[in-house]
Amino acid sequence: MYWRFGHQNASVIDHLLENGNVSLEELLEQDDLIQECKAQNSKLIEYLREPAVLQQLLGYITSDDLEERARFKYPFIACEVIACEAWGIFESALSNPDILVKFWEFLDRPPPLNPMQASYFAKVIGVFLMKRTNEMLQFIKSQPEVVPKLLLHMSTSAIMDLLLKIISMEESPDGKGTWLSEQGLMPWLVNRLDPNFDAEVHSIASQVLLDIIAISQSSHPEQPSIGTNVLIDELKSEVLVSQLVGFMLQGDAPYSSSTLINGVTIFIELIRRNNSDYDVEPLAPNTTEPVREAVDLSDLLKVLASRIEDFKELLIVPRSVKGPIDTSIGKQAPLGFERLKICEMFAELLHCSNMAVLNSRPIISVSPDGTVKVPTVALNDADNCNMSLRSGIVSNGKSGDTDDELGIEKSDGDAQKEVGEKNKRNSKAGSLHNGVSASTESAEDHAATTDDHTTSAPHIITTILQSPIIASIYSNTNTPGDVLIPVGDFLKLQFVDHRIIPTCFDLFFQFPWNNFLHTVVYDMVHQVFHRPMGDIGRSDLNGTFIPPKSDHDITEGWNRRLTISIFKDGQLTKRITDAQRLNDYECAQPKGVRLGYMGHLTYIADETVRLLELYAQTSLLSTLYEYIDMEDWWNYVSKILKETKERDAQVLGGSRPNMIESHKPTIDDGNDDDFIDDNDDEYGNGSDFIGGVGGGHEGDVASDQASTLCLITCCTLNKTFLGNPHWSLYCFCFLDLC
């Protein structure tokens, strides 16, 4: 109320503005400038919105020639003034685009940018995007080579945050990210994962891709997301996935391990962030909440499933492990981050293969002779070269400047030629890998309509693989002709053919102290054992066994075949019992310790017991019994596993002590200092007194215990202060309160 009657003191800034001829530096020296801007001081806003003053204000943010006194103060205050969201300043800046053009030229500087200036620059542009979204986006799109300039500074976190903000705010009739897709954003980022670039370039490009995936996620509705967009569709397309997989498996490149690790991380994140098999509550009939669209990852799964054998070879002969290293338990050969990430990718591919959207459309053809035909989208050599050039950085009229600035010593012509040759090799690698014959059969012209920014329409080639399991299934059935299976079953077919899970078991027992690996392998076993096994036959209500109708059908039972592979090829039960005996031997040694995988091994054994119990009345059990040493397995389950589970179920530290027993009065020792024992007739015996039967107090155990303690205390003090005539009164008053 006091301020409403004009008793407040006029600010110093008002006096400066009223006097005229005030300079911007004088205002920036005032401590209450930011507060006055937040209070929307009309005189101050009118002064700051003048074009010359506003240009000078923005110039302080990006200036490199300020005095020592103002080097940190002026840029900070100028940024905070813009962040006060004064509407007049926004109007003035957008009405005079030359001011923003001059400010945008900050991105023309060579990397690396000053982190402080970059953060202020990104904050100012972000404020403009929040308050005047459409006008600011149109301004950004009108600037030449926006995406190349932003990507030139992708090692600066503030600039990458600005790029993500632009992605999240861009609106287009064709969907989010369309303009950035036309600028070649995703192909350029994937090209940065070329194994001939160093690990730092890979890390930065991978982080940008992971951030784009995170803001576009569709698996977690409670998390903010811009939803599916053109950029994600482009990243999961068969062309870019094939190019990235080709980079990852290029073994003769100097930084192939870095490319493999970052590429696998991208694929894992893409699957986890777009898992369409989420549990959601049904929407109300009249709800207006949009239904999330399931993301189809079939192209990603198809390309990776086709190269399963190549990834398995890296599990056996890793590129990053050179030999044993010194550890706390002696020289040990490390697992390596490369093999761990490949195992994680296999586990995520199993998750992905169970998505309903991937198993609704059969596209893989299998033949009676074991031939598997995989349709693959490929670009011709000229198109691959054009894509590489289109996605490259163009700065100041020259291509390839970024390579020099990132430490890649190549001439422009050599770099373009090398990229073109690598893409040429990668396009052919999809039709021939590890001695598997490929056929480039002519297919019908691709009917999909492409945008103007794309190259010529891709054509279809057919990759031919040989599958022993398919030939075996056809030999036991009367299925005529070719059969189509979905991509999810194609992945499980490859897992069975190349014994992927048994290979992961080998690593599980080979590296007993790597709990990250143990968790991944357990996850794979858990997935397989908890999926439907197809039509495997069960007993009817009368106990009569009904044989399966499609026990060996090609289109069903791939989870069942994976389970059989785990028991047959992986020798699951034998390895569990052998590992238990090895652990017992190690523990019996002097200073012996329990092996590191025993906890996860108990989980796997428990899952195995549940599986055998669940399918006890089916044909699956008789099949699995062929690969189980029943006497050895039963001894383990009935003794060691049972004892282990009982021990693990016990409360850590033992059971909780009984509070009643700890406060129960002891037996009378004959001394006169025990008042309760001397007065049993008046107060009842000890058991009746503490909430027992008889003349004791009523109430819960806690109140009985509290009353007991109060009585003992008062009576003891009464005997001690027997000569005090008032003490008995005080004691019984205190007892009454208790």
Side-chain angles (χ1 to χ4, degrees):
M1 184 64 70
Y2 178 79
W3 307 108
R4 291 180 56 187
F5 292 99
H7 296 287
Q8 69 274 19
N9 295 326
S11 66
V12 178
I13 292 179
D14 286 337
H15 287 301
L16 292 175
L17 294 174
E18 291 174 357
N19 294 335
N21 298 326
V22 63
S23 64
L24 182 59
E25 288 81 358
E26 293 181 78
L27 293 178
L28 294 177
E29 292 293 339
Q30 302 302 317
D31 295 336
D32 57 345
L33 175 62
I34 298 177
Q35 186 63 36
E36 290 294 325
C37 289
K38 292 181 178 179
Q40 300 294 316
N41 188 317
S42 57
K43 295 180 181 179
L44 179 60
I45 300 302
E46 286 297 324
Y47 175 81
L48 294 176
R49 66 171 296 175
E50 294 180 7
V53 176
L54 183 56
Q55 184 168 350
Q56 185 181 3
L57 187 67
L58 294 176
Y60 282 135
I61 296 177
T62 59
S63 178
D64 290 327
D65 55 358
L66 294 177
E67 299 178 357
E68 185 67 26
R69 179 181 56 86
R71 181 179 302 175
F72 298 101
K73 182 177 181 180
Y74 285 4
F76 169 75
I77 296 179
C79 177
E80 292 301 317
V81 167
I82 302 297
C84 290
E85 303 176 0
W87 199 257
I89 295 178
F90 298 146
E91 291 286 349
S92 177
L94 293 173
S95 301
N96 299 274
D98 292 341
I99 299 176
L100 290 178
V101 170
K102 184 70 175 177
F103 187 60
W104 191 262
E105 290 177 356
F106 174 72
L107 295 177
D108 293 336
R109 300 180 182 181
L113 296 174
N114 183 308
M116 182 186 68
Q117 292 178 340
S119 63
Y120 293 156
F121 171 84
K123 183 175 182 179
V124 170
I125 296 297
V127 171
F128 274 91
L129 283 170
M130 289 293 295
K131 296 304 175 182
R132 302 297 295 269
T133 304
N134 295 331
E135 295 90 337
M136 197 61 192
L137 284 176
Q138 291 300 322
F139 166 78
I140 293 176
K141 293 179 181 180
S142 66
Q143 299 306 301
E145 303 173 359
V146 175
V147 174
K149 289 181 180 179
L150 291 173
L151 294 177
L152 184 66
H153 304 290
M154 66 179 185
S155 60
T156 305
S157 60
I159 302 302
M160 283 300 96
D161 291 341
L162 177 60
L163 175 61
L164 295 175
K165 185 169 291 186
I166 294 174
I167 294 174
S168 62
M169 290 187 172
E170 183 199 354
E171 294 286 352
S172 172
D174 299 327
K176 288 182 177 291
T178 303
W179 168 67
L180 290 170
S181 176
E182 293 172 354
Q183 299 293 317
L185 173 62
M186 303 309 285
W188 191 92
L189 290 173
V190 171
N191 281 332
R192 294 301 95 184
L193 294 171
D194 189 310
N196 292 290
F197 293 159
D198 59 33
E200 183 179 359
V201 177
H202 298 160
S203 177
I204 295 172
S206 173
Q207 188 58 51
V208 176
L209 289 171
L210 293 176
D211 290 339
I212 294 175
I213 294 172
I215 65 174
S216 308
Q217 62 88 22
S218 61
S219 297
H220 308 285
E222 69 279 359
Q223 297 179 3
S225 171
I226 64 174
T228 57
N229 52 73
V230 179
L231 297 178
I232 294 298
D233 292 340
E234 195 171 5
L235 178 61
K236 67 183 181 64
S237 66
E238 190 170 343
V239 174
L240 285 187
V241 172
S242 299
Q243 182 183 6
L244 182 52
V245 171
F247 286 159
M248 295 162 62
L249 297 175
Q250 188 175 337
D252 55 348
Y255 300 99
S256 56
S257 294
S258 174
T259 297
L260 175 67
I261 293 172
N262 286 283
V264 168
T265 304
I266 292 170
F267 291 147
I268 291 175
E269 190 72 5
L270 193 58
I271 294 173
R272 289 177 178 174
R273 295 285 186 171
N274 296 280
N275 189 345
S276 58
D277 287 351
Y278 40 74
D279 297 326
V280 294
E281 298 180 358
L283 298 177
N286 299 327
T287 184
T288 58
E289 182 180 353
V291 180
R292 288 178 296 160
E293 180 182 357
V295 178
D296 186 1
L297 299 176
S298 57
D299 290 339
L300 169 69
L301 191 63
K302 181 176 66 174
V303 173
L304 291 176
S306 301
R307 308 298 297 271
I308 283 293
E309 186 176 3
D310 299 325
F311 286 108
K312 177 191 172 182
E313 290 298 324
L314 293 177
L315 290 181
I316 300 174
V317 185
R319 296 177 298 203
S320 59
V321 178
K322 304 302 182 183
I325 61 175
D326 293 328
T327 67
S328 58
I329 55 175
K331 282 189 172 294
Q332 298 285 332
L335 173 69
F337 203 45
E338 190 178 36
R339 289 194 282 189
L340 176 61
K341 297 302 290 186
I342 292 176
C343 290
E344 287 185 4
M345 184 181 71
F346 286 159
E348 290 302 325
L349 288 177
L350 270 180
H351 280 289
C352 186
S353 66
N354 294 317
M355 296 182 187
V357 68
L358 301 182
N359 294 302
S360 60
R361 184 167 53 94
I363 59 174
I364 309 297
S365 175
V366 296
S367 303
D369 60 352
T371 300
V372 180
K373 299 179 181 179
V374 184
T376 305
V377 177
L379 296 176
N380 57 42
D381 299 343
D383 292 338
N384 281 325
C385 186
N386 290 336
M387 175 177 288
S388 299
L389 296 179
R390 177 175 63 85
S391 62
I393 288 292
V394 180
S395 178
N396 297 328
K398 296 181 180 180
S399 176
D401 291 345
T402 304
D403 295 340
D404 296 333
E405 291 160 355
L406 292 176
I408 308 300
E409 297 180 358
K410 299 177 185 177
S411 63
D412 297 343
D414 293 340
Q416 296 175 6
K417 181 179 179 181
E418 183 178 350
V419 172
E421 291 176 353
K422 284 196 294 288
N423 286 328
K424 181 178 179 179
R425 291 195 302 268
N426 293 333
S427 65
K428 294 181 179 180
S431 59
L432 181 64
H433 27 86
N434 287 344
V436 179
S437 62
S439 172
T440 55
E441 300 173 352
S442 300
E444 297 180 359
D445 294 336
H446 191 57
T449 303
T450 57
D451 297 331
D452 295 336
H453 69 277
T454 60
T455 57
S456 59
H459 61 278
I460 303 297
I461 64 172
T462 302
T463 302
I464 297 180
L465 307 173
Q466 294 296 328
S467 172
I469 186 65
I470 291 295
S472 175
I473 294 173
Y474 266 105
S475 64
N476 297 325
T477 60
N478 298 322
T479 305
D482 295 352
V483 176
L484 293 177
I485 61 175
V487 178
D489 288 347
F490 173 54
L491 175 80
K492 296 171 184 175
L493 180 154
Q494 291 286 81
F495 268 49
V496 175
D497 272 340
H498 299 293
R499 303 180 179 181
I500 297 301
I501 299 182
T503 303
C504 294
F505 274 147
D506 294 339
L507 298 177
F508 181 96
F509 294 102
Q510 184 180 352
F511 298 95
W513 304 107
N514 195 313
N515 287 150
F516 296 105
L517 173 66
H518 305 157
T519 302
V520 173
V521 175
Y522 167 70
D523 179 45
M524 297 170 70
V525 175
H526 178 81
Q527 288 185 70
V528 175
F529 286 0
H530 283 258
R531 300 302 301 179
M533 299 292 177
D535 186 6
I536 54 180
R538 290 184 180 276
S539 300
D540 60 9
L541 297 177
N542 298 325
T544 303
F545 180 74
I546 302 176
K549 299 179 181 179
S550 55
D551 193 18
H552 300 285
D553 192 359
I554 294 177
T555 59
E556 293 185 13
W558 285 105
N559 291 313
R560 175 182 182 274
R561 296 183 181 101
L562 267 178
T563 302
I564 296 175
S565 175
I566 291 175
F567 281 83
K568 178 183 177 181
D569 302 323
Q571 299 180 338
L572 177 61
T573 56
K574 182 178 184 300
R575 286 191 168 187
I576 291 175
T577 54
D578 290 346
Q580 182 63 51
R581 283 189 284 267
L582 177 61
N583 177 73
D584 295 340
Y585 172 78
E586 292 291 339
C587 292
Q589 300 302 310
K591 298 183 180 180
V593 294
R594 193 166 179 253
L595 294 178
Y597 53 58
M598 291 307 298
H600 289 90
L601 197 68
T602 301
Y603 288 154
I604 294 176
D606 195 33
E607 293 289 345
T608 305
V609 172
R610 293 179 183 179
L611 175 76
L612 298 178
E613 291 177 350
L614 179 62
Y615 295 98
Q617 302 297 325
T618 68
S619 63
L620 176 62
L621 189 64
S622 59
T623 304
L624 297 181
Y625 275 173
E626 300 177 10
Y627 314 109
I628 300 176
D629 185 347
M630 293 304 301
E631 182 179 357
D632 190 23
W633 176 248
W634 175 248
N635 288 334
Y636 169 77
V637 172
S638 60
K639 297 179 181 179
I640 300 177
L641 182 61
K642 182 180 179 181
E643 294 173 359
T644 302
K645 294 179 64 176
E646 290 177 352
R647 183 180 65 250
D648 294 344
Q650 294 178 359
V651 179
L652 186 63
S655 59
R656 187 174 180 178
N658 193 336
M659 300 277 301
I660 300 179
E661 295 294 334
S662 63
H663 291 293
K664 183 178 293 185
T666 58
I667 300 175
D668 186 13
D669 55 3
N671 297 329
D672 292 336
D673 56 354
D674 194 337
F675 183 82
I676 298 180
D677 291 336
D678 295 341
N679 298 274
D680 281 341
D681 295 337
E682 182 178 354
Y683 293 98
N685 57 45
S687 60
D688 291 342
F689 183 79
I690 306 180
V693 181
H697 295 282
E698 296 181 356
D700 56 11
V701 175
S703 62
D704 291 341
Q705 296 170 7
S707 301
T708 302
L709 293 176
C710 292
L711 180 59
I712 294 174
T713 302
C714 292
C715 293
T716 303
L717 293 175
N718 186 33
K719 294 176 65 176
T720 304
F721 296 93
L722 190 59
N724 190 336
H726 303 290
W727 183 255
S728 298
L729 178 62
Y730 296 154
C731 182
F732 283 103
C733 290
F734 176 73
L735 180 61
D736 185 57
L737 292 175
C738 292

